[in-house]
Amino acid sequence: MPEMRFTVRWPDGEEESCYSPSSVVAEFLEPATEYTLGDFVVRSRLALDKASGRVAAIYGYRCSRAEAQLDRIEARAKEFEDSATVHCLRLG
């Protein structure tokens, strides 16, 4: 299962490299695409939950790094207005 990083630019201009234990994130996010904050959080939640589920199917336990990444995304998103946007810069 190939892990993947996705780089985002938050509304304040900060870029962050995010972790997924699976390339499944590419089903939910596209590079060079801007998402509303709420949409980005939902897409990230779905992608990281599915990725963590794939780990569980193979190893018998969910991926704690994926769950920590989702916690980070959700906490960071709370810093901004709902109308803000997040730019997915790249996958890989």
Side-chain angles (χ1 to χ4, degrees), residues 35-45 77 81-84 86:
Y35 298 96
T36 63
L37 185 63
D39 188 31
F40 173 71
V41 171
V42 168
R43 288 170 178 272
S44 296
R45 187 178 298 123
E81 297 291 323
D82 290 338
S83 60
V86 177

Side-chain angles (χ1 to χ4, degrees), residues 54-89:
R54 286 185 173 187
V55 171
I58 294 171
Y59 299 106
Y61 54 87
R62 295 182 62 79
C63 178
S64 61
R65 283 183 68 192
E67 293 180 3
Q69 180 64 70
L70 179 56
D71 289 345
R72 165 76 179 145
I73 288 170
E74 290 176 337
R76 188 77 166 100
K78 289 179 182 176
E79 298 176 17
F80 306 105
E81 297 291 323
D82 290 338
S83 60
T85 58
V86 177
H87 196 109
C88 181
L89 300 173

